[in-house]
Amino acid sequence: MAQSAPDPRGGPAPGAPDLLARAAAAEMHDRALHAATARDIAVPEALRLDERTRAGVRARLEQIVGAIEASLRRAVAPEGFPGMGPTLPLLHAAGLPADPALAGELLAGVRLDQLAAGLPHHAPEDPARPSLLNRLAEHPAPALSEPARALLLAESRARSPEAGRWRLPLILHTRLLWWVAAAMREQAGSMAGVALDAALCAAVRAECALAERCAEDQVEAAASRLAAAIDPAPQEHARVLLEAMRDRRVPLFLALLARAADIDMAAARALLLDPGAERLLLVLHALELSREGIAELCFALCNADPARDLAALADAIDMLASVEVQAARDQLTLLRLPPEYRALRMALHGTGAR
């Protein structure tokens, strides 16, 4: 027997626990791989994300989790609690990315960024004329200039590294805070006791309170306040929506659309991101926008998103002439129903219930 071989009569060698743990981890990894493969092959091809979007969703999650980790670490004095590293691998293992609400919010954020980046630059008819938002920021009436400047400031803040902490709605932000805190505590293991539990819980509560205070300073809230201040007359909807789109101010466009249609921002976002744009067309028709205005808005979206079918969109716009405005308004009325109610109706309809 080689000298380095363990003596079976003397029990496990010093490295045996580590080897046994690694073997158990390998088995868990194998099971997780099988489960992930089953989920992957069950996804229809039409629902698969392209690699750019998938990478964007992952990067967005990493940024948000990283920003939350940094904030919580500062609060719990990491030098007193060793062993805490990046939590995302543990969160992946626990199934956090499979949360549909979180995944949907991450995907929507990435797709909005892609859309804004892809929108064409429109040369103004008058090169000396500032953009809509800049004109509003310089408006003599404080009721318009102050919310416009607040939106400019919110957009500037959203580009900072710290902004990752605020990229989710408050409910999801709070949920993710607790996830990250629990993962940090799990990493510390036996190296920390109840003192770390207390410190992490206090840090999460403080972060939740801060998030509530900061919610009104975020881009979406600032855009909604400006849309309310602009409050265009019905005949002005097309003009201001087109100006916001031409200026590549997607949050302001969404806020103006939401206010004009009397729907929430999440519903307006879903309309904008719908590749077929059928629902958006019907809402714009219900608002009685001209065919030319609808076409310019939707063709701008096609230019920004190559995945959209321009020919199908042109056909759909032509069909609008045969749709009664009241029928389009009826569809808009459905969008105004509570989202929970609409989601449950769709779920029941999918089961074949009548």
Side-chain angles (χ1 to χ4, degrees):
M1 180 181 293
Q3 290 184 354
S4 60
D7 183 352
R9 294 170 298 177
D18 180 59
L19 182 60
L20 292 171
R22 284 158 56 191
E27 181 179 358
M28 290 179 62
H29 177 270
D30 196 43
R31 291 179 180 176
L33 177 62
H34 292 171
T37 302
R39 290 193 300 269
D40 184 69
I41 61 178
V43 177
E45 198 61 36
L47 297 181
R48 288 188 181 277
L49 300 181
D50 60 87
E51 191 53 43
R52 175 174 169 242
T53 302
R54 185 184 296 110
V57 170
R58 288 173 177 165
R60 197 175 186 88
L61 179 60
E62 288 172 5
Q63 184 184 30
I64 294 172
V65 170
I68 289 175
E69 282 176 1
S71 176
L72 293 181
R73 282 200 189 95
R74 287 193 297 268
V76 301
E79 65 274 10
F81 301 106
M84 291 187 295
T87 60
L88 198 53
L90 187 55
L91 296 178
H92 272 288
L96 171 68
D99 181 335
L102 175 61
E105 194 66 33
L106 294 170
L107 177 60
V110 169
R111 292 179 63 199
L112 278 182
D113 287 347
Q114 292 175 344
L115 186 68
L119 285 171
H121 289 275
H122 287 276
E125 296 176 2
D126 179 3
R129 191 186 193 205
S131 68
L132 172 65
L133 188 51
N134 288 329
R135 294 202 313 272
L136 292 172
E138 299 300 324
H139 199 281
L144 281 171
S145 62
E146 289 177 4
R149 290 172 185 169
L151 177 55
L152 286 169
L153 180 59
E155 289 181 341
S156 176
R157 286 174 175 163
R159 292 189 286 271
S160 71
E162 277 291 296
R165 293 164 65 191
W166 317 117
R167 286 193 166 184
L168 293 174
L170 196 55
I171 293 177
L172 282 176
H173 180 72
T174 300
R175 188 187 307 171
L176 191 55
L177 276 167
W178 287 114
W179 269 92
V180 173
M184 292 171 73
R185 178 61 183 89
E186 182 65 21
Q187 287 178 328
S190 59
M191 290 184 284
V194 293
L196 179 55
D197 291 300
L200 282 169
C201 289
V204 169
R205 293 190 186 100
E207 188 78 5
C208 288
L210 178 61
E212 288 186 21
R213 293 195 299 272
C214 293
E216 289 304 304
D217 296 329
Q218 304 311 305
V219 170
E220 185 175 293
S224 295
R225 289 196 299 272
L226 179 55
I230 297 172
D231 194 22
Q235 63 270 22
E236 290 292 300
H237 284 152
R239 182 184 63 80
V240 293
L241 284 170
L242 280 169
E243 281 207 72
M245 183 68 75
R246 288 170 183 156
D247 291 348
R248 300 153 59 95
R249 300 287 182 179
V250 174
L252 180 56
F253 175 89
L254 288 175
L256 289 165
L257 177 61
R259 183 169 181 82
D262 191 23
I263 56 179
D264 61 32
M265 286 281 276
R269 184 180 66 185
L271 293 176
L272 188 65
L273 294 178
D274 185 358
E278 293 88 356
R279 294 182 300 165
L280 177 61
L281 289 176
L282 287 172
V283 167
L284 296 176
H285 188 50
L287 297 176
E288 298 190 67
L289 268 68
S290 69
R291 182 187 183 282
E292 293 74 19
I294 292 174
E296 183 172 350
L297 280 171
C298 292
F299 289 153
L301 294 177
C302 278
N303 288 331
D305 182 2
R308 299 189 184 221
D309 189 333
L310 180 59
L313 177 62
D315 289 343
I317 292 173
D318 288 339
M319 289 182 214
L320 279 180
S322 63
V323 178
E324 293 289 338
V325 172
Q326 186 55 52
R329 287 175 179 161
D330 290 344
Q331 292 297 310
L332 179 54
T333 300
L334 294 177
L335 278 180
R336 292 169 179 158
L337 297 173
E340 297 84 0
Y341 174 75
R342 286 189 286 115
L344 288 171
R345 280 204 58 190
M346 289 178 64
L348 291 171
H349 181 75
T351 64
R354 295 291 185 270

